[in-house]
Amino acid sequence: MVASFDTHLFWEALTSDPYWKGALLALGLATVSLATAVVIGFLLALGRGSRLRTVRGLVFFYNWLFRATPTLLQLIFVWYALPQVWPVFAGNWFTPFEAAFVTLSLNEAAYMSEIIRAGLLSVDPGQELAGRALGMTRRQILRRVIVPQAIRIVIPPTGNEFITLLKLTSLASVISLHELLTASQELAAVGFRYPESYLAALVYYLGIVSVLMVLQDRLERRYTWSSARRRRVAAPAVPVVAHDAR
Amino acid sequence: MTEAILRADSLHKRYGELEVLRGVTFEVGRGEVKVIIGPSGSGKSTLLRCLALLEEPDAGDVMLGGARPGRAEVGMVFQRFNLFQNMTALANVMVGLTDVRRLSKREAREQALELLERVGLKDKTEQYPEELSGGQQQRVAIARALVMKPKVMLFDEPTSALDVELVREVLDVMEGLARDGMTMVVVSHELRFAHHVASSILMMDQGVIVEEAPPGQFFSAPAHERTRRFLALVE
Ligand SMILES: Nc1ncnc2c1ncn2[C@@H]1O[C@H](COP(=O)(O)OP(=O)(O)OP(=O)(O)O)[C@@H](O)[C@H]1O
Ligand SMILES: [Mg+2]
């Protein structure tokens, strides 16, 4: 047993307001950022397949911009520099949460666009051909046939992205967002009880990710179209998406 | 010869350097069955895709009863079935009716069930494509095209992706269709089927139709050396 681990203090930290509020904040931030990133990423993915060169160029530029720079630097830029060049962001509404939300969703959109594009491309072109032979419009084919099938492919890497985002929310401690890391740092600073303070934060992350994994498994079953649905589903071939450290 | 219903007028199509269709003119009369044979790469699939408006020809017209074919007026059945993987057999047959023809769910369901019964799959309506044999999938695909009430049905090697013992069930459905007077264009190397069902057989090679003749004449006395050599290979 470790010489000095105060179980009581650990438990107190775990149930304290700053911790569970911090956890909620992290969870909420990751969720809304991912949701927004999926929407933007979907549009970017469609844009990359556009017939117009300019559109393809813009998408390339976007992805390059967000993938080639550190997320932490982007966050600091959005929080400190953006309000100086763009007065709209100098308003009171622009809190650390909004700054983190803007940064993370724009950043994540670059990654999601690659994942979604790979998902869309993995759907057999014969599916679209059959839709056109039936007289369906491009939109109908996307909505009814291609997107549902792409979702199945996209779920596992998107789950990974969610975990990445959840961890990235801790970056927002540098712009004084009161998320989990800030909560544990503050507690640690007060009593110098590092093990209890930080372990409590770790437990929250582990808890959230575990719940997510269960949800992901359910979602995958929902998007599996065979009697295998009720059995354990084998993961389909997931397109490899370059996953760089952020 | 009956009045032409589907006409292709000197179709040209190229992919980059490759000229795949080099002036294909042909027509099908109402209720006729035309079978197209020819070596791989001769442009058979490309021709069918042009007829189904899945491909825009570089030159030439496709006319259905004197006008441009409308949505799903020319039905298409593919070699690899191409059933929508995320839909049950029933949903596959319904989707064209609900989304393209704008029928109510109830009406679409009724008509779809009728068609599935006609291809002998009444008890497979809730199955997903992955759970069906190739022959069953192809019959669902035929039902999916038929339910749109096409004026012409195109089949692109509908049995060549099937195990031998499953070929028959698909050909039976197609023979039934022909008997009911459906106008059909079939790319197939099932020569017995062609002999049986075809009004005439067309030989395609290098982007043109080399010859066309009724089955009896086509098989017993092909006019062209190219056809003779090809038939020798297929048989
Ligand atoms: N979308 C395309 N892009 C480029 N080339 C194509 C395309 N579709 C077909 N081709 C080429 O056109 C030629 C004719 O193809 P097509 O599929 O029409 O032949 P086919 O007679 O159906 O052959 P098979 O018996 O093998 O099915 C082939 O050389 C093929 O590689
Ligand atoms: Mg072909």
Side-chain angles (χ1 to χ4, degrees):
Chain A
M1 198 54 217
V2 191
S4 64
F5 188 84
D6 187 338
T7 320
H8 179 72
L9 184 63
F10 166 72
W11 187 252
E12 212 147 69
L14 205 59
T15 52
S16 70
D17 260 19
Y19 271 81
W20 73 260
K21 279 188 185 154
L24 266 183
L25 203 63
L27 183 61
L29 181 57
T31 307
V32 293
S33 300
L34 184 68
T36 311
V38 165
V39 175
I40 302 173
F42 181 70
L43 297 175
L44 289 170
L46 291 185
R48 255 195 81 177
S50 166
R51 251 174 250 169
L52 302 173
R53 267 188 73 138
T54 357
V55 176
R56 290 201 307 271
L58 283 173
V59 174
F60 179 85
F61 176 77
Y62 183 100
N63 287 3
W64 170 75
L65 183 69
F66 281 98
R67 294 184 62 160
T69 55
T71 312
L72 182 56
L73 181 56
Q74 292 167 16
L75 186 66
I76 290 173
F77 187 92
V78 167
W79 178 239
Y80 292 107
L82 200 59
Q84 291 190 358
V85 292
W86 202 343
V88 183
F89 292 97
N92 271 335
W93 68 273
F94 199 60
T95 66
F97 184 86
E98 270 88 30
F101 165 64
V102 167
T103 311
L104 291 183
S105 35
L106 293 182
N107 174 288
E108 182 58 33
Y111 294 87
M112 279 313 299
S113 80
E114 309 264 334
I115 290 171
I116 292 172
R117 179 173 162 76
L120 292 174
L121 287 179
S122 74
V123 176
D124 173 12
Q127 299 282 301
E128 177 173 0
L129 210 57
R132 285 173 51 212
L134 277 182
M136 292 167 79
T137 62
R138 169 109 186 105
R139 274 181 83 107
Q140 287 173 327
I141 296 170
L142 263 179
R143 191 168 54 84
R144 301 276 270 155
V145 180
I146 295 179
V147 168
Q149 292 183 41
I151 287 177
R152 176 66 187 93
I153 304 296
V154 158
I155 291 170
T158 305
N160 288 338
E161 289 303 303
F162 185 83
I163 293 172
T164 304
L165 265 182
L166 187 70
K167 293 187 285 192
L168 283 175
T169 59
S170 65
L171 292 182
S173 60
V174 303
I175 60 169
S176 64
L177 182 74
H178 280 264
E179 43 68 66
L180 270 173
L181 183 57
T182 316
S184 45
Q185 277 171 335
E186 283 176 354
L187 184 67
V190 172
F192 299 107
R193 297 302 314 176
Y194 296 118
E196 294 80 3
S197 310
Y198 290 124
L199 191 65
L202 291 179
V203 165
Y204 268 108
Y205 281 114
L206 289 172
I208 295 173
V209 170
S210 306
V211 171
L212 171 83
M213 283 162 70
V214 174
L215 290 179
Q216 177 177 331
D217 190 67
R218 281 208 198 158
L219 205 57
E220 280 175 27
R221 279 164 204 258
R222 187 160 172 284
Y223 281 93
T224 301
W225 299 284
S226 73
S227 50
R229 186 197 287 260
R230 255 148 255 117
R231 282 179 258 125
R232 170 119 200 99
V233 287
V238 176
V240 181
V241 176
H243 201 95
D244 35 20
R246 294 184 229 173
Chain B
M1 164 140 182
T2 52
E3 158 218 8
I5 172 153
L6 184 67
R7 273 189 62 87
D9 227 354
S10 56
L11 293 182
H12 287 260
K13 179 75 193 177
R14 60 187 321 147
Y15 295 113
E17 284 295 283
L18 187 70
E19 196 166 15
V20 180
L21 296 183
R22 300 184 299 144
V24 174
T25 298
F26 100 119
E27 56 182 47
V28 204
R30 198 178 301 274
E32 282 186 329
V33 177
K34 299 229 164 168
V35 172
I36 301 175
I37 66 171
S40 180
S42 57
K44 306 178 299 291
S45 297
T46 306
L47 172 61
L48 286 203
R49 284 203 301 272
C50 286
L51 293 177
L53 304 187
L54 295 176
E55 198 89 72
E56 185 68 32
D58 300 327
D61 286 320
V62 174
M63 300 289 262
L64 182 71
R68 283 276 289 176
R71 282 174 150 205
E73 278 192 328
V74 177
M76 178 90 167
V77 172
F78 302 91
Q79 182 175 1
R80 302 219 50 91
F81 332 130
N82 297 358
L83 288 183
F84 302 131
Q85 295 296 310
N86 57 324
M87 299 182 195
T88 61
L90 180 63
N92 262 281
V93 184
M94 280 174 65
V95 68
L97 294 177
T98 53
D99 285 35
V100 180
R101 298 283 189 247
R102 301 279 170 209
L103 293 191
S104 71
K105 271 235 166 80
R106 239 193 69 228
E107 232 172 317
R109 196 185 151 80
E110 231 163 73
Q111 295 187 22
L113 285 172
E114 213 171 285
L115 255 298
L116 282 171
E117 177 158 17
R118 185 158 157 205
V119 298
L121 290 171
K122 206 174 61 174
D123 53 340
K124 299 286 180 194
T125 54
E126 294 310 317
Q127 241 77 330
Y128 285 93
E130 205 177 85
E131 304 167 307
L132 297 171
S133 75
Q136 292 167 338
Q137 288 189 58
Q138 193 60 297
R139 285 185 283 150
V140 175
I142 293 173
R144 176 177 69 177
L146 274 181
V147 84
M148 303 298 280
K149 300 201 171 65
K151 301 211 167 81
V152 181
M153 284 282 284
L154 311 178
F155 295 83
D156 190 2
E157 305 204 41
T159 58
S160 60
L162 298 178
D163 293 338
V164 270
E165 69 269 31
L166 301 177
V167 169
R168 196 63 245 165
E169 63 189 55
V170 172
L171 291 183
D172 280 344
V173 169
M174 292 171 63
E175 285 179 23
L177 274 181
R179 238 179 291 119
D180 293 345
M182 174 58 78
T183 309
M184 295 163 45
V185 180
V186 184
V187 173
S188 174
H189 295 120
E190 295 288 335
L191 296 188
R192 283 192 38 207
F193 167 83
H195 209 129
H196 228 69
V197 181
S199 325
S200 63
I201 301 176
L202 289 77
M203 166 78 190
M204 250 187 112
D205 190 26
Q206 298 182 8
V208 292
I209 291 171
V210 180
E211 88 173 271
E212 171 172 1
Q217 185 189 334
F218 190 93
F219 289 121
S220 60
H224 288 260
E225 174 58 25
R226 188 73 193 88
T227 312
R228 236 167 291 158
R229 268 186 290 140
F230 185 71
L231 283 178
L233 280 176
V234 177
E235 268 158 4

